[in-house]
Amino acid sequence: MLSEQDNRRLTLTGPGTAMGNLFRQYWQPALLSRELEAGGAPKRVKILGEDFIAFRDGEGRAGVVEPRCPHRGADLFFGRNEHSGIRCAYHGWHFDVQGQCLDIPTASAKVAESLKPKAALHSLAVREACDMIWVHFGTPQGDTPQLDFTDLPPEHYFVSKKFQQCNWAQAVEGGIDTAHFSYLHANIDNGERAGLMPSQGVNEPPENGRYRWMIEDATPQFTILEHDAGLVMCAARQADNNQLYWRITQFMMPNHSMAPNSFPGDNHVGNTWVPVDDHSCWIFCYAYNPERPLSEQERRAYANGFGIFAEVDDNYVPIRRRENDYLIDREAQQTTNFTGISGISEQDAAIADSQGLIADRTRELLGQTDLGVVKFRRLMLESVDLMEKGGTPRGVGNALAYRVRSGDAMSEPDAVGLDVATNRFGELAGMSLRESRGTAA
Amino acid sequence: MLSEQDNRRLTLTGPGTAMGNLFRQYWQPALLSRELEAGGAPKRVKILGEDFIAFRDGEGRAGVVEPRCPHRGADLFFGRNEHSGIRCAYHGWHFDVQGQCLDIPTASAKVAESLKPKAALHSLAVREACDMIWVHFGTPQGDTPQLDFTDLPPEHYFVSKKFQQCNWAQAVEGGIDTAHFSYLHANIDNGERAGLMPSQGVNEPPENGRYRWMIEDATPQFTILEHDAGLVMCAARQADNNQLYWRITQFMMPNHSMAPNSFPGDNHVGNTWVPVDDHSCWIFCYAYNPERPLSEQERRAYANGFGIFAEVDDNYVPIRRRENDYLIDREAQQTTNFTGISGISEQDAAIADSQGLIADRTRELLGQTDLGVVKFRRLMLESVDLMEKGGTPRGVGNALAYRVRSGDAMSEPDAVGLDVATNRFGELAGMSLRESRGTAA
Amino acid sequence: MLSEQDNRRLTLTGPGTAMGNLFRQYWQPALLSRELEAGGAPKRVKILGEDFIAFRDGEGRAGVVEPRCPHRGADLFFGRNEHSGIRCAYHGWHFDVQGQCLDIPTASAKVAESLKPKAALHSLAVREACDMIWVHFGTPQGDTPQLDFTDLPPEHYFVSKKFQQCNWAQAVEGGIDTAHFSYLHANIDNGERAGLMPSQGVNEPPENGRYRWMIEDATPQFTILEHDAGLVMCAARQADNNQLYWRITQFMMPNHSMAPNSFPGDNHVGNTWVPVDDHSCWIFCYAYNPERPLSEQERRAYANGFGIFAEVDDNYVPIRRRENDYLIDREAQQTTNFTGISGISEQDAAIADSQGLIADRTRELLGQTDLGVVKFRRLMLESVDLMEKGGTPRGVGNALAYRVRSGDAMSEPDAVGLDVATNRFGELAGMSLRESRGTAA
């Protein structure tokens, strides 16, 4: 539970807000690399409540610049993308990917030269990595986060995105909350909750109990660890033969997560939640396999909305979304799956949206299974405090700290999270892995 | 004419408003009984500006509860309706029709027990009567209003509803205003206003003059009576042979009416206007015959939008409505009926909506034919005053006072309303029927 | 560049605003004459932020009156247009085109007589000229502006209108800005900007250089003249053989323009931008030929959206508009025309809309080619000042001062605007034509 003030502080990311300032310390993915074609159509991009246009010039360089021509304020979205950059449709003023003004045809050569520096567009620092175009609102400290798949050959990973119609923070809270698997994603068999397997298409033998254990134990025991990029959420459920089944989730500042559900050899998945404005966000979704290329079949499944990926339209807006109640099927809700909504991603989206455009955290009844959510909020709010006192929030300038991995593990009944995570992931459990006490620095 | 303050006081019914407090003293219909199926889909219900979900559990009991899960604020609309109540889709918290929390799967048994009382949902008192699900926001005093058809066998009545896109009060004012029949509902024959009969399909011999008298006399003489549930509006028009033709309308606090247009033997009709929010309301519509079952043909006609019933879509939203200008046909307006809008109900809806989302009553030119409207406003405002001084508004806790009837009568030229109503309806004219002086108590 | 205060002062025209008061000194076109049929459907009209209904009575007289029946506030839009005027659909109150109340059927004859004067509708003064219905909000001083085609036979002109989804003032600024022809309306040939001719269908031999000169010279030299109705913008571009090519635009207070692109014998075109509210306007468009009737082919081309006319739907709303990004075709933008948007009018609309619902003039980089725009703003703001001090703004009560003409001319390199305009148009250059110093009176 948060005070109304802390809830605003956690959720609002527009210019001048506390959390907005924190986000502006980090690289953020703004688009998929494939959304921009060299010399192709510019795209409108809204991020952290600010409007930009993104385009690739004729040489393939990507730019993310303010959309307003400094001459008379025409929208550069309508501009013509020429070899060296975008040219305003009104009077032909010309700008490169860094916002530099290249040409002012309405002025004499001499006047134009003196005017160009004043005519520069505000632009964001841009880098491309992991099939995404990353931006930084200020002066970047260090590289883009070195996510676990950063150095893998492209055949090993698949990246997409989906639009989410609520505030970023509650969507993150859904992403790091493994407790809800016992209900939200449950299948229904003979009127009772049952494993996820059949309808999710995961190619796993029935004797593997992980989906059954999630159904049978709705009160996983949480241990929160910390590392130099964020948090590790370890949730242990009762498994067969007195063993524990661990689902281990990574959270990396300020808005990345690597999800569990991977035993060694399985594909890994993760998300980044990027605020569009205070009431919506883009969720970048990635799947990868460190050991082998993804198969064509896997790529196709992800592209069509399997697992954390949503079934989306040409604009990456989910087909099943807020306006259509996610095409909830009340008959299916009684007989097939717990929500009557088709798709893991869509089930997550529905429940996050349903908390409101911005979840009201002033009225909650949190328990032990919400520990990860509580720690996430605390880390974010403490990081804002730290930044406001002049400190460096966790992860800033430390791209390598993001090289972490998530997944599942089995253990004896008395194992502790720190050991389980270290045994399972080694160094990929997180840089300077430690138990959670205070959080921020 | 009202002051701006009184206009707000009359019209606004959200939480904390004066009129909202008055409405919350009364039972109000929230849904049609047939809208909820045992164990079926929950429905979103907004009433007096407050959001709820309504559902029927597996045993057929109806519940109207706040839509927000107390755990993390997910919307219970997406919950699974199980035998004993609704289960939140996020983590499986479970609630019965009275909002009691039955199960908290994310907590240990011991923690859950101590948490359940805090986890109860705000819920409304619910009763079913007359094919409607009634709710009470507080502690009900007495039963739901005993409308005239309450104890009739179901074959004798038909109940439906329709959405109205304006404030409730101006819609009521249209419902109790018989003066407008001379124009709003007139047919056009050879370019002149003519009776309603042919296009309305009422099976009445042409020699019956009532539709002609309504056209010929646009200044009915009003007498307002009072009874223990509200008001009786008696409007006398000049008929043939020096007789008077009376249309007698009932208004029962705070938002019910029984309409005229019934000679003995005819079906009776009535409405209840329930505020959704300040800019829209549900109009519950009922038709009944005290003496005989309704025929299949009559039921079908009402279901298809005959008379006070609108032609509606699957969500009870009228086909001809504000956004499409009620499909007004300007050619038909010259040649067929006075508005060019098809349907008595739709004509009423159009004119009420046309007064604005909330009618501005600070600029009006009221006359003798608006007397019923004036008395309605005065009764409502005085009732608010009375309630605020600790008194009991008319009709509260007095379900039997609602057993009133409306309809038409003929009289000699010197008859007075009180006698005409008593002769026509006997005890059903209203409990403690009296002439109107002061109004409220 | 304007201060925020001056930008509001320039753009806002609702009741009580400074510019709104200025506009209310002038006749303004409210509808096309052909939009109202004698005895036909009333139309909703919003102008300067105020709502009206317009209708023609059975005798063909046009009226523009407030839409609210004074009895109970019903919307007279739903009224029945009868021979002598509109009759309210609720209770039959009847009003003529001047808003006089003709009949109050709900009252006795005697009461009705005393009530009628109080029941008059607020109405606007109305005149018809040039196929348009003009209104005046106050007491008109003099006739409607005597536009150049006012006295031509109807066969010589064509008038239409189109909806523009931004503030009126930036749309005017596009209309009087000939500098943008070098880019906004350029065609693309082999990847380079080229003349407008082929795709615009102007039947002009290729050897005529005017479209080439506009492409080649993006920095026309501006001279602003003044006359008793407003301004003349003269823009000289370098032509062949050391000659100058002049495009001469008229601006007449407060919102009329005659556009260039006419050599002697060509058709002339002009526009009037009438604020609907602060975020949209109607653009009335006219084409005429002083010397000959328009051909059927020309009329058809204008009606279908040629030149300054837009391709519109039945409600005069452009097919290519804000919501659909003007159906911009990015492929065409590379190969066919500079915007990828089809239609001169639509290109203008796109760029004006793109400046925002109200252009932000506090951040601009204006240059020599923006001189006409600067003078327009200054004239408007000074006229407001003048009016507020009790003076008479230019053009008020001076209908003949609007008899001006625009077009193109060639000159020797040392010619000055005043001479060029006078030589080209004679008295039609403008009443008391003079060089621009101060502007307003």
Side-chain angles (χ1 to χ4, degrees):
Chain A
M1 222 163 77
L2 296 181
S3 68
E4 199 176 314
Q5 187 189 351
D6 273 351
N7 198 33
R8 281 199 304 273
R9 202 169 163 84
L10 173 67
T11 54
L12 306 186
T13 60
T17 59
M19 190 58 72
N21 290 341
L22 185 72
F23 267 80
R24 283 165 176 79
Q25 309 291 311
Y26 294 89
W27 285 102
Q28 289 288 306
L31 303 106
L32 301 172
S33 287
R34 64 180 178 271
E35 289 186 82
L36 296 185
E37 211 179 326
K43 281 191 74 87
R44 295 182 180 104
V45 175
K46 191 170 198 172
I47 178 167
L48 303 177
E50 296 188 46
D51 287 307
F52 298 92
I53 58 160
F55 65 99
R56 244 186 239 289
D57 68 15
E59 296 178 22
R61 292 176 303 187
V64 179
V65 302
E66 66 170 315
R68 189 183 184 283
C69 178
H71 174 210
R72 296 248 299 270
D75 188 345
L76 293 169
F77 172 79
F78 292 103
R80 186 167 186 258
N81 192 358
E82 303 190 344
H83 185 78
S84 318
I86 195 107
R87 200 181 273 281
C88 179
Y90 210 170
H91 300 92
W93 293 29
H94 197 193
F95 306 90
D96 72 12
V97 290
Q98 291 174 315
Q100 296 309 308
C101 182
L102 306 175
D103 188 18
I104 299 185
T106 52
S108 66
K110 189 176 150 198
V111 172
E113 276 321 295
S114 75
L115 206 55
K116 280 179 190 173
K118 290 186 226 168
L121 303 174
H122 170 55
S123 70
L124 301 185
V126 169
R127 287 197 197 153
E128 298 204 43
C130 300
D131 277 359
M132 294 179 275
I133 298 172
W134 298 72
V135 296
H136 196 291
F137 280 69
T139 306
Q141 296 177 46
D143 205 351
T144 55
Q146 299 297 296
L147 301 172
D148 192 21
F149 64 103
T150 301
D151 295 335
L152 293 178
E155 298 75 31
H156 283 236
Y157 58 87
F158 178 81
V159 178
S160 190
K161 69 175 188 178
K162 58 188 182 188
F163 190 62
Q164 171 81 29
Q165 297 171 292
C166 69
N167 183 265
W168 72 280
Q170 70 213 57
V172 170
E173 289 177 357
I176 60 178
D177 167 51
T178 191
H180 71 249
F181 268 79
S182 305
Y183 282 89
L184 185 64
H185 303 309
N187 284 334
I188 298 290
D189 195 9
N190 278 321
E192 299 293 325
R193 283 177 305 119
L196 300 171
M197 227 169 332
S199 76
Q200 298 310 321
V202 173
N203 188 11
E204 191 163 71
E207 58 269 31
N208 183 324
R210 92 170 103 163
Y211 296 107
R212 178 165 48 82
W213 303 328
M214 281 198 276
I215 296 301
E216 289 172 355
D217 185 353
T219 55
Q221 298 300 308
F222 275 75
T223 307
I224 310 300
L225 307 175
E226 314 233 353
H227 55 50
D228 286 356
L231 304 171
V232 188
M233 284 84 168
C234 310
R237 279 180 170 88
Q238 210 55 53
D240 299 335
N241 305 320
N242 205 22
Q243 280 208 307
L244 293 179
Y245 165 54
W246 293 81
R247 292 173 69 82
I248 300 172
T249 307
Q250 294 278 358
F251 170 73
M252 297 95 86
M253 291 279 293
N255 58 341
H256 312 277
S257 172
M258 306 299 287
N261 215 42
S262 312
F263 280 124
D266 288 346
N267 294 345
H268 293 264
V269 295
N271 291 302
T272 302
W273 291 264
V274 182
V276 171
D277 52 28
D278 294 328
H279 294 165
S280 63
C281 57
W282 283 114
I283 308 182
F284 289 83
C285 313
Y286 22 93
Y288 64 98
N289 196 309
E291 298 166 22
R292 64 165 174 82
L294 301 181
S295 70
E296 264 320 294
Q297 188 185 351
E298 285 171 324
R299 286 183 178 280
R300 212 175 309 121
Y302 292 140
N304 290 337
F306 176 79
I308 63 158
F309 296 86
E311 189 180 342
V312 293
D313 67 16
D314 288 348
N315 299 311
Y316 298 95
V317 175
I319 303 299
R320 296 182 288 285
R321 58 180 180 261
R322 190 186 273 275
E323 298 92 74
N324 58 22
D325 283 336
Y326 317 90
L327 303 180
I328 189 170
D329 176 337
R330 296 293 184 173
E331 176 69 21
Q333 190 174 24
Q334 294 300 328
T335 58
T336 308
N337 71 54
F338 189 71
T339 55
I341 294 169
S342 180
I344 292 284
S345 167
E346 287 80 356
Q347 293 160 6
D348 282 326
I351 213 69
D353 288 348
S354 92
Q355 293 172 298
L357 292 172
I358 300 180
D360 177 2
R361 293 176 181 78
T362 65
R363 296 169 54 209
E364 293 182 315
L365 288 173
L366 301 181
Q368 184 270 138
T369 59
D370 302 303
L371 192 59
V373 167
V374 169
K375 289 278 187 178
F376 154 73
R377 295 175 187 177
R378 194 176 301 164
L379 174 58
M380 295 305 292
L381 291 172
E382 288 179 1
S383 296
V384 164
D385 290 344
L386 179 72
M387 174 195 66
E388 292 185 344
K389 285 177 191 143
T392 299
R394 207 180 287 185
V396 171
N398 193 356
L400 286 174
Y402 289 79
R403 206 172 276 276
V404 297
R405 191 169 291 177
S406 63
D408 303 359
M410 304 301 296
S411 83
E412 295 308 306
D414 55 353
V416 297
L418 188 59
D419 295 338
V420 173
T422 307
N423 289 341
R424 172 72 175 86
F425 305 115
E427 289 198 349
L428 291 171
M431 189 180 282
S432 313
L433 190 70
R434 54 199 183 268
E435 289 182 4
S436 172
R437 289 206 186 74
T439 34
Chain B
M1 221 163 79
L2 296 181
S3 67
E4 198 176 314
Q5 187 189 351
D6 273 351
N7 198 33
R8 281 200 304 273
R9 202 168 163 83
L10 173 67
T11 54
L12 305 186
T13 60
T17 60
M19 190 57 73
N21 290 341
L22 184 73
F23 266 80
R24 284 166 175 79
Q25 310 290 312
Y26 295 88
W27 285 103
Q28 289 287 305
L31 302 107
L32 301 172
S33 288
R34 64 179 179 270
E35 289 186 83
L36 295 185
E37 210 179 327
K43 280 190 75 85
R44 294 182 179 104
V45 175
K46 190 171 197 171
I47 178 167
L48 302 176
E50 297 187 46
D51 286 308
F52 298 91
I53 58 158
F55 66 99
R56 242 186 241 289
D57 68 15
E59 295 179 23
R61 291 175 305 186
V64 178
V65 301
E66 65 170 316
R68 188 182 185 283
C69 179
H71 174 212
R72 298 246 301 268
D75 187 346
L76 293 169
F77 171 78
F78 292 103
R80 185 167 188 258
N81 192 358
E82 303 191 343
H83 185 77
S84 320
I86 195 108
R87 200 180 273 280
C88 179
Y90 210 170
H91 300 92
W93 294 28
H94 197 193
F95 305 91
D96 71 11
V97 289
Q98 292 175 314
Q100 296 308 308
C101 183
L102 305 175
D103 187 19
I104 299 184
T106 52
S108 66
K110 191 178 149 196
V111 172
E113 277 320 296
S114 75
L115 206 54
K116 282 179 190 175
K118 290 187 225 166
L121 303 173
H122 171 55
S123 69
L124 301 184
V126 170
R127 288 197 198 155
E128 298 204 43
C130 299
D131 277 359
M132 294 179 275
I133 297 172
W134 299 72
V135 296
H136 197 291
F137 280 68
T139 306
Q141 297 177 44
D143 205 351
T144 55
Q146 300 297 296
L147 301 172
D148 191 21
F149 63 104
T150 301
D151 295 334
L152 292 178
E155 297 76 30
H156 283 237
Y157 58 87
F158 178 81
V159 178
S160 190
K161 69 175 187 178
K162 59 189 182 187
F163 190 63
Q164 172 81 29
Q165 297 170 292
C166 69
N167 183 263
W168 72 279
Q170 69 212 57
V172 170
E173 289 176 357
I176 60 177
D177 166 53
T178 191
H180 70 250
F181 268 78
S182 303
Y183 282 89
L184 185 64
H185 303 308
N187 284 333
I188 299 290
D189 195 10
N190 278 321
E192 300 292 326
R193 283 177 305 118
L196 300 172
M197 229 166 333
S199 76
Q200 298 311 321
V202 173
N203 188 13
E204 190 163 70
E207 55 269 32
N208 184 326
R210 91 168 105 164
Y211 297 107
R212 179 165 46 81
W213 302 327
M214 281 197 277
I215 297 301
E216 290 172 355
D217 185 353
T219 54
Q221 298 301 307
F222 275 75
T223 309
I224 310 299
L225 308 174
E226 313 234 352
H227 55 50
D228 286 356
L231 305 170
V232 189
M233 283 84 169
C234 308
R237 280 182 170 89
Q238 209 57 53
D240 299 336
N241 305 318
N242 205 24
Q243 279 208 306
L244 293 178
Y245 165 54
W246 294 81
R247 291 174 70 82
I248 300 172
T249 306
Q250 294 279 357
F251 170 73
M252 298 93 85
M253 293 279 294
N255 58 342
H256 312 276
S257 174
M258 306 299 288
N261 215 43
S262 313
F263 280 124
D266 287 348
N267 293 345
H268 293 264
V269 296
N271 290 302
T272 302
W273 292 263
V274 182
V276 171
D277 52 28
D278 293 329
H279 294 166
S280 63
C281 56
W282 283 114
I283 309 181
F284 289 83
C285 314
Y286 22 94
Y288 63 98
N289 196 309
E291 297 166 22
R292 63 165 176 83
L294 302 181
S295 71
E296 265 320 295
Q297 190 186 348
E298 286 172 324
R299 287 185 177 278
R300 213 176 308 121
Y302 292 139
N304 290 338
F306 176 78
I308 62 159
F309 296 87
E311 190 181 342
V312 294
D313 67 16
D314 288 348
N315 298 312
Y316 298 95
V317 175
I319 303 300
R320 298 182 287 287
R321 58 180 180 260
R322 188 185 275 275
E323 298 92 72
N324 57 21
D325 283 338
Y326 318 89
L327 304 179
I328 190 169
D329 176 337
R330 297 292 184 175
E331 175 69 20
Q333 190 174 25
Q334 294 301 328
T335 59
T336 307
N337 71 54
F338 189 71
T339 55
I341 295 169
S342 180
I344 293 284
S345 166
E346 287 79 357
Q347 293 160 5
D348 283 327
I351 213 68
D353 287 350
S354 92
Q355 294 173 299
L357 291 173
I358 299 181
D360 177 2
R361 292 176 181 78
T362 66
R363 297 169 54 209
E364 292 183 315
L365 289 173
L366 301 181
Q368 184 270 140
T369 59
D370 302 304
L371 191 59
V373 167
V374 169
K375 289 280 187 177
F376 153 73
R377 296 175 187 177
R378 194 176 302 162
L379 174 59
M380 295 305 293
L381 291 172
E382 289 178 1
S383 297
V384 164
D385 290 344
L386 179 73
M387 176 195 66
E388 292 184 344
K389 286 177 189 141
T392 298
R394 208 180 287 185
V396 170
N398 193 356
L400 286 175
Y402 289 79
R403 202 173 280 274
V404 297
R405 190 170 290 177
S406 63
D408 303 359
M410 306 302 295
S411 82
E412 295 307 308
D414 53 354
V416 298
L418 187 59
D419 295 338
V420 173
T422 307
N423 288 342
R424 171 72 175 87
F425 305 115
E427 290 198 346
L428 290 171
M431 190 180 281
S432 314
L433 191 70
R434 55 201 184 266
E435 290 181 3
S436 171
R437 293 208 182 72
T439 33
Chain C
M1 222 163 76
L2 296 182
S3 68
E4 197 175 316
Q5 187 188 350
D6 273 351
N7 198 31
R8 279 199 306 272
R9 201 168 164 82
L10 173 67
T11 54
L12 306 187
T13 61
T17 60
M19 190 57 73
N21 290 341
L22 184 73
F23 267 79
R24 284 165 175 79
Q25 310 291 311
Y26 295 88
W27 285 102
Q28 290 287 305
L31 301 108
L32 301 172
S33 288
R34 65 180 178 271
E35 290 186 83
L36 296 184
E37 210 180 326
K43 281 190 74 86
R44 293 182 180 104
V45 175
K46 191 171 197 172
I47 178 166
L48 303 176
E50 297 188 46
D51 287 307
F52 299 92
I53 59 159
F55 66 99
R56 243 185 239 289
D57 68 13
E59 295 179 21
R61 293 175 303 185
V64 178
V65 301
E66 66 169 314
R68 188 183 184 284
C69 179
H71 174 210
R72 297 249 299 270
D75 188 345
L76 292 170
F77 172 78
F78 292 103
R80 187 167 186 257
N81 192 358
E82 303 191 344
H83 185 77
S84 319
I86 195 107
R87 200 181 272 281
C88 179
Y90 210 170
H91 300 91
W93 293 29
H94 197 193
F95 306 91
D96 72 12
V97 289
Q98 291 173 316
Q100 296 309 306
C101 183
L102 304 175
D103 188 17
I104 299 184
T106 51
S108 67
K110 191 179 149 195
V111 171
E113 277 320 295
S114 75
L115 206 54
K116 281 179 189 174
K118 290 187 228 167
L121 302 173
H122 170 54
S123 69
L124 301 185
V126 169
R127 287 195 199 157
E128 298 203 43
C130 299
D131 277 0
M132 294 179 274
I133 297 171
W134 299 71
V135 297
H136 197 289
F137 280 69
T139 306
Q141 296 177 45
D143 205 352
T144 55
Q146 299 298 295
L147 301 173
D148 190 22
F149 63 105
T150 301
D151 295 335
L152 292 178
E155 297 75 31
H156 283 239
Y157 58 87
F158 178 82
V159 178
S160 190
K161 69 175 188 179
K162 60 188 181 187
F163 190 63
Q164 171 81 29
Q165 297 170 292
C166 69
N167 183 265
W168 71 280
Q170 69 212 55
V172 170
E173 290 176 358
I176 60 177
D177 167 52
T178 191
H180 71 249
F181 268 79
S182 304
Y183 283 89
L184 185 64
H185 302 310
N187 284 334
I188 299 290
D189 195 9
N190 278 321
E192 299 294 323
R193 283 177 307 119
L196 300 171
M197 228 168 333
S199 76
Q200 298 311 320
V202 174
N203 187 13
E204 192 164 70
E207 57 270 33
N208 184 324
R210 91 169 102 165
Y211 296 106
R212 178 164 48 79
W213 302 328
M214 281 198 277
I215 296 301
E216 290 172 355
D217 185 354
T219 55
Q221 297 300 307
F222 275 74
T223 309
I224 310 299
L225 307 175
E226 314 234 354
H227 54 51
D228 287 357
L231 305 170
V232 188
M233 284 83 168
C234 309
R237 280 181 170 87
Q238 210 53 55
D240 300 335
N241 306 320
N242 205 24
Q243 281 207 305
L244 293 178
Y245 164 55
W246 294 80
R247 292 173 69 82
I248 301 172
T249 307
Q250 294 278 359
F251 170 73
M252 299 93 84
M253 293 277 296
N255 58 342
H256 312 276
S257 173
M258 305 300 287
N261 215 44
S262 313
F263 280 124
D266 288 347
N267 293 344
H268 294 264
V269 297
N271 291 301
T272 302
W273 292 263
V274 182
V276 170
D277 52 28
D278 293 330
H279 294 166
S280 62
C281 56
W282 282 114
I283 309 182
F284 289 83
C285 313
Y286 22 92
Y288 63 97
N289 197 308
E291 298 166 20
R292 62 163 176 84
L294 302 181
S295 71
E296 264 320 295
Q297 190 185 348
E298 285 172 324
R299 285 184 179 280
R300 212 176 309 121
Y302 292 140
N304 290 337
F306 176 79
I308 63 158
F309 296 86
E311 189 180 341
V312 293
D313 67 15
D314 288 348
N315 299 311
Y316 299 94
V317 174
I319 303 299
R320 298 183 285 287
R321 59 180 180 262
R322 188 185 274 277
E323 297 91 72
N324 58 22
D325 283 337
Y326 318 91
L327 302 179
I328 189 169
D329 176 338
R330 296 292 185 177
E331 175 70 21
Q333 189 174 24
Q334 293 302 328
T335 58
T336 308
N337 72 52
F338 188 70
T339 55
I341 294 169
S342 180
I344 293 284
S345 167
E346 286 80 357
Q347 293 160 5
D348 282 327
I351 213 68
D353 287 349
S354 92
Q355 293 172 299
L357 292 172
I358 300 181
D360 177 2
R361 292 175 181 80
T362 66
R363 296 169 53 209
E364 292 183 315
L365 288 174
L366 301 181
Q368 184 270 136
T369 59
D370 303 303
L371 192 59
V373 168
V374 169
K375 289 278 187 178
F376 154 73
R377 296 175 186 177
R378 193 175 302 163
L379 174 58
M380 294 305 292
L381 291 172
E382 288 178 1
S383 297
V384 164
D385 291 344
L386 179 72
M387 174 195 67
E388 292 184 344
K389 286 176 189 143
T392 299
R394 207 180 288 185
V396 171
N398 193 355
L400 286 174
Y402 288 80
R403 203 173 279 273
V404 297
R405 190 169 289 177
S406 63
D408 303 359
M410 306 300 298
S411 83
E412 296 307 307
D414 54 354
V416 298
L418 187 58
D419 295 338
V420 173
T422 307
N423 289 341
R424 172 71 175 87
F425 305 115
E427 290 199 347
L428 291 171
M431 190 180 282
S432 314
L433 191 69
R434 54 200 183 267
E435 290 182 2
S436 172
R437 291 211 182 70
T439 34

